[in-house]
Amino acid sequence: EVQLVESGGGLVQPGGSLRLSCAGSGITLSDQYMDWVRQAPGKGLEWIGRTRNKANSYSTEYAASVKGRFTISRDDSQNSLFLQMNSLKTEDTAVYYCTRDNSFCTGGNCFTSFDIWGPGTMVTVSS
Amino acid sequence: AIQMTQSPSSLSASVGDRVTITCRASQGIGNDLGWYQQRPGKAPKVLIYATSRLHSGVPSRFSGSGSGTYFTLTISSLQPEDSGTYYCLQDSSYPLTFGGGTKVEIK
C-alpha cells in the first residue's frame, strides 16, 4: 500500500524552529514531485511549497508567506522529505500535510494532481 | 498571485439533488484546475484534475468543466458520503492557490 506519513509536529515558541518529516512507503519519493500544504485551525488549505524530483534536481518553489523561513529537503536513503521551519510565527499554526504531486505530461499537455496525502501533523506556535 | 474565489461558501442539499460549486480565477489559468474533497479531520482527496479529468476511483457522479477563469464542479446526484468541504486548486502558476472552500451539508 502506498502511504505517506508526516511526523515532527508539536508546540514551539514564536521565533523557534521545527523540522517536519514525511516518510514514504510503497513509493520511491526521489521519483516524485512532492508538495507541502497546510491548514490553520478552522481555515482552508494553503499551498506552501514544492520540490521537484531527482531528475529535475530537486528544485523548489515556495509561497511568499514562508519563503526565506521554510526549506524543503530530502533524504533518499530514508525515502523521506523534510520541511525545515525557522523563525516561526503564531500564524504558522496549522496541520501540515505532505502530498505526492502527480505531475505528468502527455500529448503535449501537462497535468497536476495531489493524489496521495499523509494524515498530517499539527504544529502549534505559541508562547 | 492568482486568487481563486469559490461560491457558495456553504450549501445544504438533499440526497439525490444536483449540486454545483463554482470557482473563479482572478486571471486566466487555462485548464489548470483541480477539485479536492475534505472530510472533517481527514486529509483532502483529489476528485478531478485538469478541469474535467476524473481521478481514478472517483464516482462518475462528480464532473468538472470550465476554462480560463470560470470553473464548476457538479455532483449529479448527491449522496450522504459527499458531505464535506470542497476546494478548487489552480496549478497554472506559482504560488499554487486554493479556493476558500465550499462546505456541503446533507439535509
Side-chain angles (χ1 to χ4, degrees):
Chain A
E1 181 190 5
V2 175
Q3 207 173 9
L4 298 173
V5 178
E6 304 91 344
S7 60
L11 175 63
V12 61
Q13 291 188 336
S17 298
L18 207 57
R19 188 196 198 207
L20 305 184
S21 301
C22 171
S25 58
I27 181 174
T28 301
L29 295 193
S30 61
D31 294 337
Q32 317 298 328
Y33 281 37
M34 297 295 296
D35 291 52
W36 287 94
V37 173
R38 69 183 180 184
Q39 186 169 37
K43 302 297 184 183
L45 302 170
E46 180 188 13
W47 176 85
I48 58 173
R50 163 177 290 174
T51 171
R52 297 178 181 85
N53 56 15
K54 189 173 185 177
N56 288 282
S57 306
Y58 294 144
S59 56
T60 53
E61 306 286 347
Y62 296 96
S65 58
V66 305
K67 194 170 185 178
R69 300 188 300 123
F70 290 12
T71 303
I72 300 172
S73 63
R74 299 177 183 249
D75 185 331
D76 292 347
S77 67
Q78 296 182 41
N79 200 35
S80 292
L81 175 74
F82 305 102
L83 181 66
Q84 178 66 44
M85 304 186 295
N86 298 330
S87 304
L88 282 161
K89 306 175 182 180
T90 55
E91 53 263 41
D92 294 319
T93 294
V95 174
Y96 285 74
Y97 298 100
C98 65
T99 175
R100 193 270 289 265
D101 179 347
N102 189 14
S103 292
F104 67 97
C105 296
T106 182
N109 296 307
C110 294
F111 308 104
T112 293
S113 67
F114 294 167
D115 64 346
I116 304 169
W117 294 70
T121 187
M122 181 71 203
V123 172
T124 302
V125 184
S126 174
S127 54
Chain B
I2 297 174
Q3 294 186 14
M4 305 302 295
T5 304
Q6 261 183 261
S7 61
S9 57
S10 66
L11 65 91
S12 180
S14 300
V15 172
D17 282 354
R18 182 181 183 89
V19 168
T20 299
I21 298 168
T22 66
C23 197
R24 292 182 184 270
S26 61
Q27 63 190 74
I29 59 171
N31 290 318
D32 297 333
L33 184 105
W35 290 96
Y36 293 79
Q37 176 196 61
Q38 186 180 34
R39 296 190 176 103
K42 300 295 186 182
K45 292 183 178 180
V46 61
L47 300 173
I48 286 170
Y49 64 98
T51 296
S52 60
R53 294 185 171 229
L54 202 65
H55 181 66
S56 175
V58 174
S60 59
R61 64 180 179 273
F62 291 94
S63 64
S65 66
S67 74
T69 62
Y70 184 79
F71 302 86
T72 61
L73 171 71
T74 299
I75 308 173
S76 61
S77 178
L78 193 67
Q79 299 301 303
E81 60 267 30
D82 298 337
S83 66
T85 302
Y86 293 78
Y87 296 92
C88 61
L89 168 68
Q90 70 81 18
D91 56 83
S92 177
S93 66
Y94 297 107
L96 307 192
T97 44
F98 287 92
T102 296
K103 186 173 184 178
V104 174
E105 179 185 88
I106 310 296
K107 283 182 184 174

